[in-house]
């Protein structure tokens, strides 16, 4: 299914307008970029790129590369999935790529999300699309594809591919991919969950993807796809662009957790909820490493607004606008910038980004029903 353009934010909401303008600027379509600019735009998405020379050759030889991203519809959406994906998709579109977003409903069922209830899973998928529409994702270059529909349409292509990948790998290699489902290597998997990595690996070839743009937690199955290319003597391997995983707000929490609502900001959280969560977040003075508040500034605020604005009394140093993360880090490490400066400014920026989403779910009756339905799933599951 092809998605429709995002609706405008509610009239009169100045913070909504600011965030929407920033999103529109980021998602300005395929601009007249040089080859080097296109490369830099795509490379900037990934904490890791395998391999950079392959990415450059791809851009030289293919006018519109296909980028693949996918997600399990598995409950409410936090900002790492909502805002970061919007930022990354808009960069891919700007660099001239076609983006295929794989709504992995069958995969969520295999992984026992929503108790394995496919109808609930698909409702969550529709809710997620509504969020990206409202958040400012540039949908002109995006195609949303439901795994259940696409696999059924071309089963004669899909299942022989899955079977061949399974045949060429042992169980130990497949179970090493358990992280892609949020499972550890030591966790006992169901037979369905062992099948899952073979299917996700097949997706890459089934969708004819040139670039896999997923999180670092999906790296192992993307590498499995490159290994499969070696097995079948395929020259052009999928390029892996793995984005950084945002941590939770608690000390030492490597990843946001939907099961711990205080550790994550959800895309339709109200202003007060965002303020409280950020106020309570781990943010040690003068320490940058492992500081979730600074990570949110780096990976969300700067890419979205191009700056970070701090409002404070003259006695505390006065207002300041940071234009680079390096400048901010320098002042934070020196103590010139304090957590009490950072947290209110971060909360304000996040609230501006989320306001169009809140407006959409308040003003659009269909979206409102979807959200209320998904919230009930969260309680009962």
């Amino acid at each position: 299914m092809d998605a429709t353009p995002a609706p405008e934010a509610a009239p009169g909401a100045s913070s909504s307008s600011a965030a929407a303008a920033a999103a529109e600027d980021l998602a300005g379509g395929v601009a007249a970029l040089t080859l080097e600019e296109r490369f830099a735009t795509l490379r900037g998405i990934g904490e890791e790129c395998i391999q950079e020379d392959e990415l450059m050759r791809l851009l030289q030889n293919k006018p519109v590369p296909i980028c693949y991203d996918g997600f399990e519809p598995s409950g409410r959406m936090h900002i790492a999935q909502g805002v970061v994906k919007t930022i990354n998709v808009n960069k891919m579109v700007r660099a001239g790529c076609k983006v295929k977003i794989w709504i992995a409903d069958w995969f969520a069922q295999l992984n026992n999300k929503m108790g394995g209830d496919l109808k609930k899973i698909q409702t969550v998928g529709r809710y997620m699309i509504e969020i990206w529409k409202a958040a400012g994702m540039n949908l002109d270059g995006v195609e949303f594809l439901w795994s259940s529909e696409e696999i059924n349409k071309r089963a004669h292509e899909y299942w022989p591919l899955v079977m061949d990948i399974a045949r060429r790998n042992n169980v130990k290699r497949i179970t090493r991919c358990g992280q892609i489902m949020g499972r550890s290597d030591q966790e006992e998997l169901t037979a369905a969950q062992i099948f899952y990595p073979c299917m996700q690996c097949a997706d890459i070839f089934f969708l004819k993807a040139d670039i896999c743009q997923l999180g670092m937690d999906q790296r192992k199955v993307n590498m499995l796809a490159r290994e499969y290319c070696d097995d079948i003597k395929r020259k052009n391997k999928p390029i892996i662009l793995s984005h950084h995983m945002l941590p939770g707000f608690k000390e030492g929490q490597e990843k946001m957790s939907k099961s711990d609502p205080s550790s994550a900001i959800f895309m339709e959280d109200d202003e007060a909820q965002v303020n409280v969560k950020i106020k309570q977040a781990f943010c040690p003075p003068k320490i940058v490493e492992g500081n979730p508040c600074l990570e949110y500034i780096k990976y969300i605020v700067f890419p979205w607004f191009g700056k970070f604005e701090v409002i404070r009394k003259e006695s505390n140093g006065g207002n300041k606008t940071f234009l680079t993360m390096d400048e901010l880090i320098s002042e934070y490490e020196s103590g010139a910038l304090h957590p009490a400066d950072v947290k209110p400014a971060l909360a304000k920026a996040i609230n501006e980004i989320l306001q169009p989403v809140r407006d959409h779910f308040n003003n659009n009756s269909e979206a409102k029903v979807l959200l209320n339905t998904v919230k009930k799933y969260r309680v009962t599951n």
Side-chain angles (χ1 to χ4, degrees):
M1 60 182 274
D2 285 316
T4 53
E8 294 181 0
S14 59
S15 62
S16 301
S17 301
E24 187 177 338
D25 180 61
L26 183 65
V30 182
L33 300 180
T34 66
L35 175 65
E36 291 72 21
E37 287 169 336
R38 292 175 68 206
F39 174 86
T41 299
L42 289 173
R43 182 63 187 88
I45 293 170
E47 182 171 296
E48 177 183 66
C49 176
I50 304 174
Q51 301 281 350
E52 290 187 355
D53 59 330
E54 294 175 18
L55 177 60
M56 180 61 83
R57 280 200 302 273
L58 173 69
L59 295 175
Q60 287 172 331
N61 298 324
K62 189 167 184 177
V64 185
I66 294 173
C67 294
Y68 147 76
D69 192 357
F71 69 97
E72 274 188 11
S74 60
R76 292 176 67 200
M77 183 186 287
H78 53 56
I79 60 171
Q81 193 173 27
V83 177
V84 174
K85 191 183 293 289
T86 297
I87 290 168
N88 290 343
V89 166
N90 288 353
K91 286 182 178 180
M92 289 187 276
V93 172
R94 176 185 276 184
C97 298
K98 178 177 181 178
V99 182
K100 293 184 177 182
I101 298 183
W102 192 236
I103 310 171
D105 52 352
W106 267 3
F107 292 77
Q109 188 176 38
L110 281 172
N111 204 13
N112 204 35
K113 298 297 174 68
M114 296 292 134
D117 186 323
L118 189 61
K119 185 177 179 181
K120 289 182 177 179
I121 290 166
Q122 290 173 339
T123 299
V124 174
R126 292 195 298 274
Y127 146 85
M128 290 182 158
I129 292 171
E130 287 297 313
I131 286 180
W132 287 317
K133 285 165 60 177
M137 184 179 283
N138 184 357
L139 300 178
D140 290 340
V142 174
E143 186 178 14
F144 289 102
L145 300 167
W146 294 82
S147 67
S148 56
E149 291 180 7
E150 298 302 316
I151 292 170
N152 277 331
K153 280 182 198 172
R154 294 159 52 202
H156 63 289
E157 295 178 44
Y158 188 78
W159 293 114
L161 183 56
V162 174
M163 290 164 62
D164 194 48
I165 291 166
R167 187 175 62 82
R168 293 173 185 270
N169 289 278
N170 58 37
V171 173
K172 185 177 180 181
R173 176 66 183 91
I174 296 302
T175 53
R176 279 186 10 226
C177 294
Q179 183 187 14
I180 67 174
M181 301 173 284
R183 314 289 176 178
S184 70
D185 291 353
Q186 289 74 38
E187 194 171 339
E188 187 173 353
L189 303 178
T190 66
Q193 288 166 335
I194 291 175
F195 210 50
Y196 185 122
C198 299
M199 291 174 63
Q200 185 170 329
C201 181
D203 293 343
I204 296 165
F205 304 101
F206 183 68
L207 296 171
K208 297 178 170 54
D210 301 300
I211 299 170
C212 301
Q213 203 296 286
L214 300 162
M216 286 294 292
D217 61 339
Q218 304 295 302
R219 184 184 189 279
K220 289 181 180 178
V221 77
N222 291 333
M223 290 303 297
L224 182 69
R226 289 180 63 89
E227 292 166 14
Y228 178 66
C229 289
D230 291 332
D231 290 339
I232 63 173
K233 306 295 188 289
R234 172 175 164 149
K235 183 179 178 182
N236 293 325
K237 299 179 181 180
I239 295 156
I240 303 171
L241 272 178
S242 302
H243 64 253
H244 178 75
M245 302 296 293
L246 277 180
F249 279 131
K250 296 182 179 178
E251 184 176 1
Q253 202 169 30
E254 293 183 359
K255 189 177 174 182
M256 278 190 183
S257 172
K258 292 180 183 178
S259 61
D260 182 3
S262 66
S263 76
I265 292 171
F266 293 97
M267 289 297 291
E268 69 291 328
D269 274 352
D270 62 34
E271 188 170 336
Q273 288 171 318
V274 171
N275 291 343
V276 167
K277 289 178 181 181
I278 293 178
K279 185 177 181 179
Q280 295 174 345
F282 179 66
C283 189
K286 299 185 180 181
I287 296 176
V288 172
E289 190 71 28
N291 188 324
C293 290
L294 298 192
E295 291 219 12
Y296 281 55
I297 295 168
K298 179 178 179 179
Y299 291 102
I300 292 181
V301 179
F302 269 113
W304 197 275
F305 294 107
K307 60 185 178 180
F308 183 67
E309 296 180 314
V310 172
I311 308 297
R312 58 190 174 185
K313 297 177 181 177
E314 285 297 329
S315 57
N316 292 331
N319 298 346
K320 179 151 187 179
T321 299
F322 294 92
L323 298 179
T324 69
M325 193 65 197
D326 287 343
E327 180 189 10
L328 186 148
I329 286 172
S330 176
E331 291 219 2
Y332 194 81
E333 286 181 325
S334 73
L337 184 65
H338 191 268
D341 305 324
V342 167
K343 287 185 175 185
L346 175 59
K348 181 177 183 293
I350 296 296
N351 277 316
E352 286 190 26
I353 293 169
L354 296 186
Q355 192 57 47
V357 179
R358 296 175 189 138
D359 292 341
H360 180 61
F361 281 96
N362 284 330
N363 301 328
N364 182 294
S365 57
E366 184 180 344
K368 188 182 292 186
V369 169
L370 278 173
L371 174 59
N372 290 334
T373 303
V374 170
K375 282 184 173 180
K376 289 176 187 174
Y377 293 167
R378 183 173 60 92
V379 171
T380 57
N381 282 278

